[in-house]
Amino acid sequence: MPMNNLNDIFFTPASTQGLTYEQVLEDVQRYFAEKHASTIAGASESDTEKAAAVLKELMVQYLVKRKYALEGLTIEDLCARLYEDMAGYSFLKKWIYNKPGVEEVNINAFNDIEVIMNSGRSIKIPDKFASPQQAIDVVRRMLNACGMVIDDTMPSVIGFLDKNIRISVDKTPVVDPEVGINASIRIVNQQTVSEQKLLDSGSATAEMLHFLKACIRYGVSVCIAGSTGSGKTTIMAWLLSNVPNNRRLITIEEGSREFDLVKRDEDGNILNSVVHLLTRPHENPSMNINQDFLLERVLRKHPDVIGIGEMRSAAESLSAAESSRTGHTVCTTIHSNSCVSTYRRMMTLAKRKYSMDDSVLMQIMVEAYPIVVFTKQLEDRSRRIMEIIEGEDFVNGKLSCRSLYKYEVVDNLMNDKNQIRVVGHHRKMASISDTLKKRLLDNGISHKELSEFTGEVS
């Protein structure tokens, strides 16, 4: 009688030597779905150690009974891999939690996965799911862990696996059935960014960094603009780390923690005054804890400096600006493609909710954020502060501003490995205005420190 199905193969001991991992996985899944479905559910949904231990023990027994062996894998290794595919995060676990330098894992399709390193380099990885359904099952378990459900009625969701891991997922009918699932998993590696690291990477000059540090230290709000991956958050984290220990700093972030600004001495005692707050969505929109809600609460906590992870909505756009105009130092980021266009981007955000004249909104934004920083990731994946401007006024439909520092690209050179190297340099374009000089002096800066930003222009 011919062996015309996988079951026949698995139950013929002589055939086990030539089995692939995918065939073993299919049989083990079939067996446990029939015999131990509740055990799999307990291990994957509640993440209890007891359920996981029972499942692994039963799995080892089954593997030994069937005499399954794969080259290069011990029975324990095979069990661990099968467990991750059946009840865990499969190969995604190692890329999310165990690979230093990984900034993002992107699932383009069940068989097309790439990672983006913190250097900005994108790499296709050899790992892939066996089928579109397996990709859906694994990602669904990841979402279950953070209390989110993805199904045909809600095929596109965003969740947070951990305080520093954000996941955005789309499934059919948003994506094609043969793709299975599309997902972007962002891993935020909290780390201390030093001035020396920024200098060594060529992100900015020492004078530029000293100027930005003086702004945050002496009460001048800063908005950092750029696209995704341009280095906005890195610059903001460094800036906020320079808030004096005796100043109260409160950060507001959306869903995942990107800042770790608490300073401790060698005995573990906290040296500075920092409060980190996170937004949390709710099924009932009226119960959402969003950035605007938290910003309203923050103003009652007597902050000296407010750090807003990213300006996204109309409400927080105007609320943050008003916070700055009423005496608080605000540092935030926004998606924009230049320094000058940043003010208009803030204005258009606010216009989504507030029926105000464009010129009024522009004047509010220029007054709220005297300093705008534009960051960019260049063709060779290096990140640069491309420009720093000082906004002075908005009169008769025209923005009055001065470019203080700028990065000038001279050339883009290709080496024999088809790798591009950007050639360029930073230049000081102008000194700060007399108005900003007076503001900094009134807020405590010394003439000696101020003189660095008022010197000759190159």
Side-chain angles (χ1 to χ4, degrees), residues 178-292:
E178 61 268 23
V179 167
I181 207 146
N182 169 284
S184 176
I185 305 166
R186 178 76 184 271
I187 304 105
V188 179
N189 296 309
Q190 297 173 352
Q191 56 182 343
T192 302
V193 183
S194 68
E195 181 176 322
Q196 193 59 49
K197 284 183 181 179
L198 294 173
L199 291 173
D200 291 344
S201 67
S203 295
T205 65
E207 182 179 327
M208 293 164 68
L209 296 180
H210 295 166
F211 170 69
L212 293 176
K213 185 160 52 173
C215 287
I216 292 298
R217 171 68 179 82
Y218 299 109
V220 177
S221 294
V222 176
C223 180
I224 305 165
S227 61
T228 301
S230 63
K232 301 188 301 296
T233 304
T234 299
I235 297 298
M236 182 173 172
W238 172 77
L239 262 181
L240 294 180
S241 72
N242 284 283
V243 173
N245 290 350
N246 62 348
R247 300 288 177 88
R248 185 167 172 77
L249 166 63
I250 303 181
T251 68
I252 301 172
E253 299 175 77
E254 188 158 349
S256 58
R257 275 274 304 281
E258 300 195 44
F259 303 126
D260 188 12
L261 301 169
V262 176
K263 301 174 185 176
R264 301 175 187 271
D265 63 17
E266 56 188 21
D267 297 320
N269 300 309
I270 296 176
L271 300 173
N272 55 350
S273 180
V274 178
V275 176
H276 289 304
L277 301 177
L278 291 175
T279 62
R280 274 296 175 262
H282 195 277
E283 293 178 358
N284 182 350
S286 65
M287 299 181 69
N288 273 347
I289 300 177
N290 54 27
Q291 288 187 342
D292 190 47

Side-chain angles (χ1 to χ4, degrees), residues 1-19:
M1 181 177 178
M3 293 183 292
N4 55 10
N5 60 53
L6 191 63
N7 214 38
D8 293 332
I9 296 175
F10 284 122
F11 284 89
T12 306
S15 304
T16 60
Q17 296 301 317
L19 294 178

Side-chain angles (χ1 to χ4, degrees), residues 3 6-25 27-28 62-71 75 78:
M3 293 183 292
L6 191 63
N7 214 38
D8 293 332
I9 296 175
F10 284 122
F11 284 89
T12 306
S15 304
T16 60
Q17 296 301 317
L19 294 178
T20 65
Y21 172 78
E22 287 71 22
Q23 288 175 314
V24 173
L25 173 61
D27 178 60
V28 174
Y62 185 74
L63 294 174
V64 170
K65 181 180 179 181
R66 294 299 172 206
K67 300 181 180 179
Y68 287 150
L70 293 177
E71 186 176 350
I75 198 73
L78 179 57

Side-chain angles (χ1 to χ4, degrees), residues 83-147:
Y83 173 82
E84 279 303 323
D85 278 329
M86 291 171 58
Y89 297 168
S90 189
F91 60 84
L92 294 178
K93 183 177 180 179
K94 67 181 179 185
W95 291 102
I96 296 171
Y97 294 104
N98 301 322
K99 294 284 187 178
V102 173
E103 193 171 88
E104 195 164 319
V105 178
N106 289 321
I107 304 172
N108 304 319
F110 80 95
N111 57 355
D112 178 16
I113 295 98
E114 60 186 342
V115 298
I116 298 176
M117 309 303 291
N118 53 20
S119 63
R121 192 162 55 104
S122 178
I123 306 169
K124 295 278 188 181
I125 64 174
D127 303 297
K128 60 187 68 175
F129 296 105
S131 66
Q133 188 57 51
Q134 189 199 6
I136 292 172
D137 291 341
V138 170
V139 174
R140 182 174 278 138
R141 287 196 293 269
M142 299 177 82
L143 291 171
N144 285 342
C146 52

